[in-house]
Amino acid sequence: DVKVTQSSRYLVKRTGEKVFLECVQDMDHENMFWYRQDPGLGLRLIYFSYDVKMKEKGDIPEGYSVSREKKERFSLILESASTNQTSMYLCASRTALGRGGTEAFFGQGTRLTVV
Amino acid sequence: GENVEQHPSTLSVQEGDSAVIKCTYSDSASNYFPWYKQELGKGPQLIIDIRSNVGEKKDQRIAVTLNKTAKHFSLHITETQPEDSAVYFCAASITPNNNDMRFGAGTRLTVKP
């Protein structure tokens, strides 16, 4: 059974704090993604990684950074949290082309509130 | 870049009725169109997808149709059940590199018993 696990379901952080959101997948997937989900806006891509230590900006990377030191783990970092980063954050992983399948598997989400 | 629009934003149907959700996309090069279902408190899960070389795909009560000329695709759920209640997202991407996948804004479907 495929699994993408996000370390926290709910987080409350203060403005200006450095925040780490962790995601681990056990499917040996090459590609990992971080999305932000807001009502009426759907899922917006923040960053993705197609290999260890590799990263690409998505549509809304401002205020975020990422780290991928190991294949199974992809971290989203809010360098200085702000109230407009209050949102649901979703991690996903997907196997790379050539190994079959284009389905993305999502974690359960982390609801972050910045106060 | 790709822009995906999804309608309606909310949909309420009676159990047993059909539900249709529609999406349009902007990039004619897009050729992979998945649909995801998100239940309360969970991450989205793929329920069906279609590639541009086919016009329709069906899986039990769920079907997806694709009109490449008009650049729109639709999800059809027949004989709806209360457990179909969820938020549904459409997406579009250009394979093989579907790291560029873009999602619609979502449709909240409520099936009333």
Side-chain angles (χ1 to χ4, degrees), chain B residues 1 6 8 18-20 28 31 38 40 46 51 57 65 70 72-73 77 85 91 96 100-101:
Chain B
Q6 182 172 346
S18 295
V20 180
S28 57
N31 55 14
Q38 185 178 27
L40 196 62
L46 182 74
R51 289 174 173 78
K57 184 176 178 181
T65 58
H72 72 70
F73 55 113
I77 306 174
S85 296
D100 62 344
M101 190 179 302

PDB file of all heavy atoms in Angstrom, chain B residues 1 6 8 18-20 28 31 38 40 46 51 57 65 70 72-73 77 85 91 96 100-101:
ATOM      1  N   GLY B   1       1.596  29.586 -19.455  1.00  0.00           N
ATOM      2  CA  GLY B   1       1.436  28.274 -18.852  1.00  0.00           C
ATOM      3  C   GLY B   1       0.008  27.807 -18.918  1.00  0.00           C
ATOM      4  O   GLY B   1      -0.898  28.538 -19.317  1.00  0.00           O
ATOM      5  N   GLN B   6     -12.610  25.167 -13.699  1.00  0.00           N
ATOM      6  CA  GLN B   6     -13.496  24.071 -13.299  1.00  0.00           C
ATOM      7  C   GLN B   6     -14.831  24.636 -12.846  1.00  0.00           C
ATOM      8  O   GLN B   6     -14.880  25.627 -12.108  1.00  0.00           O
ATOM      9  CB  GLN B   6     -12.836  23.284 -12.159  1.00  0.00           C
ATOM     10  CG  GLN B   6     -13.616  22.082 -11.679  1.00  0.00           C
ATOM     11  CD  GLN B   6     -12.831  21.235 -10.685  1.00  0.00           C
ATOM     12  OE1 GLN B   6     -11.626  21.382 -10.530  1.00  0.00           O
ATOM     13  NE2 GLN B   6     -13.526  20.335 -10.023  1.00  0.00           N
ATOM     14  N   PRO B   8     -19.141  23.268 -11.817  1.00  0.00           N
ATOM     15  CA  PRO B   8     -19.385  24.368 -10.888  1.00  0.00           C
ATOM     16  C   PRO B   8     -18.483  24.263  -9.667  1.00  0.00           C
ATOM     17  O   PRO B   8     -17.794  23.266  -9.498  1.00  0.00           O
ATOM     18  CB  PRO B   8     -20.844  24.146 -10.501  1.00  0.00           C
ATOM     19  CG  PRO B   8     -20.987  22.653 -10.527  1.00  0.00           C
ATOM     20  CD  PRO B   8     -20.110  22.174 -11.661  1.00  0.00           C
ATOM     21  N   SER B  18     -27.438  11.744 -11.510  1.00  0.00           N
ATOM     22  CA  SER B  18     -26.102  11.880 -12.091  1.00  0.00           C
ATOM     23  C   SER B  18     -25.502  13.229 -11.740  1.00  0.00           C
ATOM     24  O   SER B  18     -26.232  14.197 -11.479  1.00  0.00           O
ATOM     25  CB  SER B  18     -26.175  11.734 -13.619  1.00  0.00           C
ATOM     26  OG  SER B  18     -26.573  10.443 -13.970  1.00  0.00           O
ATOM     27  N   ALA B  19     -24.187  13.281 -11.737  1.00  0.00           N
ATOM     28  CA  ALA B  19     -23.464  14.534 -11.489  1.00  0.00           C
ATOM     29  C   ALA B  19     -22.438  14.721 -12.601  1.00  0.00           C
ATOM     30  O   ALA B  19     -21.788  13.760 -13.020  1.00  0.00           O
ATOM     31  CB  ALA B  19     -22.764  14.499 -10.136  1.00  0.00           C
ATOM     32  N   VAL B  20     -22.318  15.955 -13.061  1.00  0.00           N
ATOM     33  CA  VAL B  20     -21.354  16.273 -14.116  1.00  0.00           C
ATOM     34  C   VAL B  20     -20.529  17.474 -13.694  1.00  0.00           C
ATOM     35  O   VAL B  20     -21.078  18.503 -13.279  1.00  0.00           O
ATOM     36  CB  VAL B  20     -22.057  16.578 -15.460  1.00  0.00           C
ATOM     37  CG1 VAL B  20     -21.009  16.894 -16.533  1.00  0.00           C
ATOM     38  CG2 VAL B  20     -22.930  15.416 -15.886  1.00  0.00           C
ATOM     39  N   SER B  28      -3.086  23.805 -25.669  1.00  0.00           N
ATOM     40  CA  SER B  28      -3.468  22.727 -26.571  1.00  0.00           C
ATOM     41  C   SER B  28      -2.473  21.572 -26.557  1.00  0.00           C
ATOM     42  O   SER B  28      -2.773  20.488 -27.055  1.00  0.00           O
ATOM     43  CB  SER B  28      -3.619  23.269 -27.994  1.00  0.00           C
ATOM     44  OG  SER B  28      -2.414  23.878 -28.415  1.00  0.00           O
ATOM     45  N   ASN B  31      -1.943  16.841 -22.629  1.00  0.00           N
ATOM     46  CA  ASN B  31      -2.429  15.555 -23.125  1.00  0.00           C
ATOM     47  C   ASN B  31      -2.662  14.517 -22.036  1.00  0.00           C
ATOM     48  O   ASN B  31      -2.843  13.340 -22.322  1.00  0.00           O
ATOM     49  CB  ASN B  31      -1.474  15.007 -24.183  1.00  0.00           C
ATOM     50  CG  ASN B  31      -0.061  14.907 -23.673  1.00  0.00           C
ATOM     51  OD1 ASN B  31       0.182  14.987 -22.479  1.00  0.00           O
ATOM     52  ND2 ASN B  31       0.883  14.725 -24.571  1.00  0.00           N
ATOM     53  N   GLN B  38     -11.141  14.275  -3.168  1.00  0.00           N
ATOM     54  CA  GLN B  38     -10.619  14.551  -1.834  1.00  0.00           C
ATOM     55  C   GLN B  38     -11.742  14.453  -0.815  1.00  0.00           C
ATOM     56  O   GLN B  38     -12.649  15.290  -0.795  1.00  0.00           O
ATOM     57  CB  GLN B  38      -9.969  15.932  -1.768  1.00  0.00           C
ATOM     58  CG  GLN B  38      -9.291  16.227  -0.439  1.00  0.00           C
ATOM     59  CD  GLN B  38      -8.617  17.579  -0.413  1.00  0.00           C
ATOM     60  OE1 GLN B  38      -9.020  18.500  -1.126  1.00  0.00           O
ATOM     61  NE2 GLN B  38      -7.588  17.718   0.397  1.00  0.00           N
ATOM     62  N   LEU B  40     -13.105  14.394   3.184  1.00  0.00           N
ATOM     63  CA  LEU B  40     -12.838  15.271   4.327  1.00  0.00           C
ATOM     64  C   LEU B  40     -11.664  14.745   5.147  1.00  0.00           C
ATOM     65  O   LEU B  40     -11.640  13.567   5.528  1.00  0.00           O
ATOM     66  CB  LEU B  40     -14.096  15.364   5.184  1.00  0.00           C
ATOM     67  CG  LEU B  40     -14.145  16.494   6.194  1.00  0.00           C
ATOM     68  CD1 LEU B  40     -14.087  17.847   5.490  1.00  0.00           C
ATOM     69  CD2 LEU B  40     -15.396  16.396   7.051  1.00  0.00           C
ATOM     70  N   LEU B  46      -6.433   9.846  -6.879  1.00  0.00           N
ATOM     71  CA  LEU B  46      -6.798   9.690  -8.279  1.00  0.00           C
ATOM     72  C   LEU B  46      -7.985   8.737  -8.405  1.00  0.00           C
ATOM     73  O   LEU B  46      -7.992   7.660  -7.812  1.00  0.00           O
ATOM     74  CB  LEU B  46      -5.619   9.130  -9.069  1.00  0.00           C
ATOM     75  CG  LEU B  46      -5.846   8.952 -10.564  1.00  0.00           C
ATOM     76  CD1 LEU B  46      -5.841  10.300 -11.270  1.00  0.00           C
ATOM     77  CD2 LEU B  46      -4.784   8.035 -11.175  1.00  0.00           C
ATOM     78  N   ARG B  51      -6.047  10.141 -21.389  1.00  0.00           N
ATOM     79  CA  ARG B  51      -5.010  10.719 -22.219  1.00  0.00           C
ATOM     80  C   ARG B  51      -5.604  11.180 -23.538  1.00  0.00           C
ATOM     81  O   ARG B  51      -6.680  10.742 -23.931  1.00  0.00           O
ATOM     82  CB  ARG B  51      -3.883   9.707 -22.428  1.00  0.00           C
ATOM     83  CG  ARG B  51      -3.086   9.507 -21.145  1.00  0.00           C
ATOM     84  CD  ARG B  51      -2.038   8.419 -21.218  1.00  0.00           C
ATOM     85  NE  ARG B  51      -1.215   8.394 -20.014  1.00  0.00           N
ATOM     86  CZ  ARG B  51      -1.577   7.872 -18.859  1.00  0.00           C
ATOM     87  NH1 ARG B  51      -2.764   7.314 -18.745  1.00  0.00           N
ATOM     88  NH2 ARG B  51      -0.769   7.915 -17.819  1.00  0.00           N
ATOM     89  N   LYS B  57     -13.464   7.498 -21.328  1.00  0.00           N
ATOM     90  CA  LYS B  57     -12.999   6.368 -20.520  1.00  0.00           C
ATOM     91  C   LYS B  57     -13.987   6.158 -19.405  1.00  0.00           C
ATOM     92  O   LYS B  57     -14.496   7.122 -18.819  1.00  0.00           O
ATOM     93  CB  LYS B  57     -11.606   6.670 -19.962  1.00  0.00           C
ATOM     94  CG  LYS B  57     -10.967   5.538 -19.175  1.00  0.00           C
ATOM     95  CD  LYS B  57      -9.558   5.946 -18.763  1.00  0.00           C
ATOM     96  CE  LYS B  57      -8.882   4.881 -17.933  1.00  0.00           C
ATOM     97  NZ  LYS B  57      -7.513   5.305 -17.526  1.00  0.00           N
ATOM     98  N   THR B  65     -14.951  12.308 -20.260  1.00  0.00           N
ATOM     99  CA  THR B  65     -14.959  12.574 -21.695  1.00  0.00           C
ATOM    100  C   THR B  65     -14.003  13.715 -21.989  1.00  0.00           C
ATOM    101  O   THR B  65     -13.810  14.610 -21.155  1.00  0.00           O
ATOM    102  CB  THR B  65     -16.372  12.940 -22.182  1.00  0.00           C
ATOM    103  OG1 THR B  65     -16.837  14.092 -21.458  1.00  0.00           O
ATOM    104  CG2 THR B  65     -17.341  11.796 -21.956  1.00  0.00           C
ATOM    105  N   ALA B  70     -12.356  21.494 -28.475  1.00  0.00           N
ATOM    106  CA  ALA B  70     -12.903  22.545 -27.618  1.00  0.00           C
ATOM    107  C   ALA B  70     -12.066  22.759 -26.373  1.00  0.00           C
ATOM    108  O   ALA B  70     -12.331  23.697 -25.599  1.00  0.00           O
ATOM    109  CB  ALA B  70     -14.344  22.194 -27.242  1.00  0.00           C
ATOM    110  N   HIS B  72     -11.944  20.923 -23.601  1.00  0.00           N
ATOM    111  CA  HIS B  72     -12.629  20.707 -22.333  1.00  0.00           C
ATOM    112  C   HIS B  72     -12.825  19.217 -22.075  1.00  0.00           C
ATOM    113  O   HIS B  72     -12.822  18.386 -23.001  1.00  0.00           O
ATOM    114  CB  HIS B  72     -13.928  21.521 -22.231  1.00  0.00           C
ATOM    115  CG  HIS B  72     -15.052  21.039 -23.076  1.00  0.00           C
ATOM    116  ND1 HIS B  72     -15.746  19.864 -22.841  1.00  0.00           N
ATOM    117  CD2 HIS B  72     -15.660  21.607 -24.131  1.00  0.00           C
ATOM    118  CE1 HIS B  72     -16.709  19.735 -23.734  1.00  0.00           C
ATOM    119  NE2 HIS B  72     -16.674  20.764 -24.531  1.00  0.00           N
ATOM    120  N   PHE B  73     -12.931  18.892 -20.802  1.00  0.00           N
ATOM    121  CA  PHE B  73     -13.133  17.508 -20.388  1.00  0.00           C
ATOM    122  C   PHE B  73     -14.067  17.508 -19.182  1.00  0.00           C
ATOM    123  O   PHE B  73     -14.171  18.510 -18.465  1.00  0.00           O
ATOM    124  CB  PHE B  73     -11.801  16.799 -20.087  1.00  0.00           C
ATOM    125  CG  PHE B  73     -10.911  17.463 -19.072  1.00  0.00           C
ATOM    126  CD1 PHE B  73     -10.676  16.852 -17.851  1.00  0.00           C
ATOM    127  CD2 PHE B  73     -10.273  18.660 -19.344  1.00  0.00           C
ATOM    128  CE1 PHE B  73      -9.839  17.436 -16.912  1.00  0.00           C
ATOM    129  CE2 PHE B  73      -9.437  19.256 -18.415  1.00  0.00           C
ATOM    130  CZ  PHE B  73      -9.217  18.639 -17.190  1.00  0.00           C
ATOM    131  N   ILE B  77     -20.566  11.171 -13.036  1.00  0.00           N
ATOM    132  CA  ILE B  77     -20.815  10.152 -12.016  1.00  0.00           C
ATOM    133  C   ILE B  77     -22.286   9.783 -12.106  1.00  0.00           C
ATOM    134  O   ILE B  77     -23.166  10.646 -11.973  1.00  0.00           O
ATOM    135  CB  ILE B  77     -20.490  10.662 -10.596  1.00  0.00           C
ATOM    136  CG1 ILE B  77     -19.061  11.215 -10.536  1.00  0.00           C
ATOM    137  CG2 ILE B  77     -20.665   9.539  -9.573  1.00  0.00           C
ATOM    138  CD1 ILE B  77     -18.720  11.874  -9.202  1.00  0.00           C
ATOM    139  N   SER B  85     -19.895  12.048  -1.972  1.00  0.00           N
ATOM    140  CA  SER B  85     -19.749  13.418  -1.479  1.00  0.00           C
ATOM    141  C   SER B  85     -18.275  13.679  -1.153  1.00  0.00           C
ATOM    142  O   SER B  85     -17.663  12.956  -0.363  1.00  0.00           O
ATOM    143  CB  SER B  85     -20.604  13.645  -0.234  1.00  0.00           C
ATOM    144  OG  SER B  85     -21.974  13.507  -0.539  1.00  0.00           O
ATOM    145  N   ALA B  91      -7.341  18.182 -13.489  1.00  0.00           N
ATOM    146  CA  ALA B  91      -5.996  18.672 -13.727  1.00  0.00           C
ATOM    147  C   ALA B  91      -5.627  18.404 -15.181  1.00  0.00           C
ATOM    148  O   ALA B  91      -6.246  17.584 -15.859  1.00  0.00           O
ATOM    149  CB  ALA B  91      -4.992  18.015 -12.779  1.00  0.00           C
ATOM    150  N   PRO B  96       5.569  13.908 -21.414  1.00  0.00           N
ATOM    151  CA  PRO B  96       5.974  13.091 -20.300  1.00  0.00           C
ATOM    152  C   PRO B  96       6.316  13.860 -19.032  1.00  0.00           C
ATOM    153  O   PRO B  96       6.374  13.271 -17.958  1.00  0.00           O
ATOM    154  CB  PRO B  96       7.220  12.382 -20.823  1.00  0.00           C
ATOM    155  CG  PRO B  96       7.788  13.329 -21.803  1.00  0.00           C
ATOM    156  CD  PRO B  96       6.619  13.984 -22.454  1.00  0.00           C
ATOM    157  N   ASP B 100       4.415  19.702 -14.582  1.00  0.00           N
ATOM    158  CA  ASP B 100       3.738  20.964 -14.834  1.00  0.00           C
ATOM    159  C   ASP B 100       2.231  20.849 -14.597  1.00  0.00           C
ATOM    160  O   ASP B 100       1.488  21.719 -15.010  1.00  0.00           O
ATOM    161  CB  ASP B 100       3.977  21.394 -16.283  1.00  0.00           C
ATOM    162  CG  ASP B 100       3.405  20.385 -17.269  1.00  0.00           C
ATOM    163  OD1 ASP B 100       3.111  19.247 -16.849  1.00  0.00           O
ATOM    164  OD2 ASP B 100       3.249  20.721 -18.441  1.00  0.00           O
ATOM    165  N   MET B 101       1.783  19.789 -13.940  1.00  0.00           N
ATOM    166  CA  MET B 101       0.356  19.567 -13.765  1.00  0.00           C
ATOM    167  C   MET B 101      -0.297  20.748 -13.071  1.00  0.00           C
ATOM    168  O   MET B 101       0.179  21.222 -12.044  1.00  0.00           O
ATOM    169  CB  MET B 101       0.115  18.287 -12.952  1.00  0.00           C
ATOM    170  CG  MET B 101      -1.328  17.848 -12.934  1.00  0.00           C
ATOM    171  SD  MET B 101      -1.582  16.334 -11.996  1.00  0.00           S
ATOM    172  CE  MET B 101      -0.501  15.221 -12.858  1.00  0.00           C
TER     173      MET B 101
END
